[in-house]
Amino acid sequence: MPSEIALDARIYVAGHGGLVGSALLRRLQHEGFTNILTATRAQLDLRDQAEVLHWFKSNRPEYVLLVAGTVGGIVANSTRPAEFIYDNMMIHATVVHAAHEYGVRKLLYLGSSCIYPRAAEQPIKEGQLLTGLLEPTNEWYAIAKIAGIKLCQAYRQQYGCDFISAMPTNLYGPNDNFDLTSSHVLPALMRKFHDAKLSGSSHVEIWGTGKPMREFLHVDDLADACLFLLRNYSEDEHINVGTGLDLSIRDLADMVREVVYPEVKLQFDVSKPDGSPRKVLDVTRLRELGWSASTELATGIRATYEWFLEQERSPGALRGISMSAH
């Protein structure tokens, strides 16, 4: 049976300034929730257990959406491994523990599809977690995210906490990170094509062969799924969130090029890493619960680029390095 959440319930969005957190704020506000709790980095360091416990004691959230974390693409993962594993493990530990200490009714922890083995069978079912070696280019982030899942399961097992975990696929949308040294593939492509258009360049360089297959989910669809799960899911095992559809990086680049700069040519740098050869989630369990994504990729890319252009017209508005923890 669905669990109704009162519109005046105290709902804490941990990581409200990031891609996912800002989408959750939009969704909660759209649905009429009136008591949404947030805290900036200046107000609360989520890596500090004492600070987090004090904040929970003062604010007493009833529901927690734990979407905070240090995130980035292949370059960021490769060059900042200590930050990725330390920040994420500390953030998850402090918030989950505080949620238990102060009687949070329900917590949703958001992970990432990079938790699965590099050689996982495709589409990837939830049961493939910890069945093989991780993709080396993001193992630090993946290990931290796996620890977050296990943390929620441990508190559920030992204390009976209603803590659940969801694993989204690759995300994109408003408030994404477009910095070329730390962004994920879709916003990085959008930035590259946009810069090439401004400079009049004849080509855009794409990392790798263009052959890897990836799945993409609009962040507003994820926000919708998070609230759906908060109301309808209460199981120990994590659950995948995605579209169940994938395409090659080459096809993705063509799609972004068509929106941003159709005249430019693609140039693939095969000396750069591809990452996992294929990554698409099996979303059967979520569909059986009654939820599926509604935003087509081409539509979402066009809407995201329109948002990007609006930010470009506002000096300093576009984000650089994404630190969605705060």
Side-chain angles (χ1 to χ4, degrees):
M1 292 291 292
S3 174
E4 286 304 316
I5 303 173
L7 291 179
D8 62 349
R10 295 184 301 280
I11 303 176
Y12 172 39
V13 180
H16 72 282
L19 171 65
V20 177
S22 60
L24 281 167
L25 289 185
R26 290 194 300 272
R27 184 67 187 181
L28 289 166
Q29 291 163 354
H30 176 75
E31 292 209 10
F33 288 98
T34 58
N35 208 347
I36 304 167
L37 306 175
T38 62
T40 65
R41 184 176 187 177
Q43 295 169 322
L44 177 61
D45 183 350
L46 291 177
R47 299 167 298 183
D48 187 315
Q49 185 69 82
E51 280 194 35
V52 174
L53 286 169
H54 178 74
W55 189 91
F56 268 70
K57 182 178 180 180
S58 300
N59 292 277
R60 301 284 177 161
E62 299 170 78
Y63 298 90
V64 173
L65 293 162
L66 179 46
V67 300
T70 297
V71 300
I74 290 176
V75 174
N77 274 271
S78 300
T79 58
R80 296 158 50 208
E83 289 177 57
F84 272 72
I85 195 166
Y86 176 83
D87 287 357
N88 287 301
M89 290 185 72
M90 292 299 291
I91 289 164
H92 307 151
T94 63
V95 175
V96 168
H97 183 66
H100 159 63
E101 286 290 311
Y102 289 99
V104 165
R105 291 185 181 182
K106 194 164 190 173
L107 176 146
L108 169 62
Y109 165 72
L110 207 65
S112 166
S113 59
C114 72
I115 62 169
Y116 292 114
R118 173 184 169 85
E121 294 181 10
Q122 305 289 329
I124 307 172
K125 295 181 182 292
E126 288 88 349
Q128 292 196 60
L129 180 65
L130 296 176
T131 61
L133 296 175
L134 298 168
E135 162 58 39
T137 57
N138 59 23
E139 66 174 325
W140 313 106
Y141 182 68
I143 287 170
K145 286 296 184 180
I146 293 168
I149 297 170
K150 293 301 178 182
L151 190 67
C152 290
Q153 290 175 342
Y155 275 76
R156 173 181 282 271
Q157 180 178 317
Q158 184 169 344
Y159 302 116
C161 299
D162 193 4
F163 295 170
I164 61 174
S165 300
M167 297 301 114
T169 190
N170 298 298
L171 303 170
Y172 71 99
N175 285 315
D176 210 337
N177 169 28
F178 294 88
D179 180 84
L180 291 177
T181 63
S182 60
S183 60
H184 290 102
V185 60
L186 199 158
L189 286 172
M190 193 168 289
R191 166 63 82 178
K192 284 186 174 184
F193 282 112
H194 179 76
D195 289 350
K197 182 178 180 179
L198 292 182
S199 67
S201 177
S202 62
H203 69 276
V204 165
E205 183 181 276
I206 312 296
W207 272 35
T209 64
K211 295 178 180 178
M213 304 291 290
R214 293 290 183 271
E215 172 188 17
F216 297 92
L217 179 71
H218 194 282
V219 70
D220 286 342
D221 281 346
L222 175 61
D224 184 59
C226 286
L227 291 191
F228 177 86
L229 290 170
L230 208 61
R231 292 170 169 136
N232 295 280
Y233 188 74
S234 185
E235 294 184 22
D236 181 71
E237 188 176 26
H238 65 280
I239 188 165
N240 290 338
V241 184
T243 64
L245 304 171
D246 61 348
L247 77 168
S248 71
I249 296 300
R250 178 182 289 274
D251 288 342
L252 175 69
D254 281 335
M255 194 174 288
V256 176
R257 173 174 63 177
E258 185 62 29
V259 170
V260 180
Y261 187 18
E263 301 82 9
V264 77
K265 295 181 179 179
L266 305 182
Q267 182 174 303
F268 292 88
D269 183 353
V270 298
S271 69
K272 296 295 194 298
D274 270 340
S276 299
R278 189 186 183 205
K279 192 168 67 174
V280 59
L281 298 181
D282 185 316
V283 292
T284 301
R285 291 176 62 217
L286 185 55
R287 284 179 176 165
E288 289 177 348
L289 286 174
W291 188 91
S292 59
S294 60
T295 305
E296 293 185 356
L297 183 56
T299 301
I301 289 174
R302 190 168 299 279
T304 301
Y305 187 56
E306 290 173 359
W307 178 89
F308 176 94
L309 291 176
E310 290 177 3
Q311 304 308 302
E312 280 281 273
R313 290 190 283 268
S314 302
L318 278 177
R319 296 164 59 215
I321 292 177
S322 176
M323 290 288 286
S324 61
H326 304 100

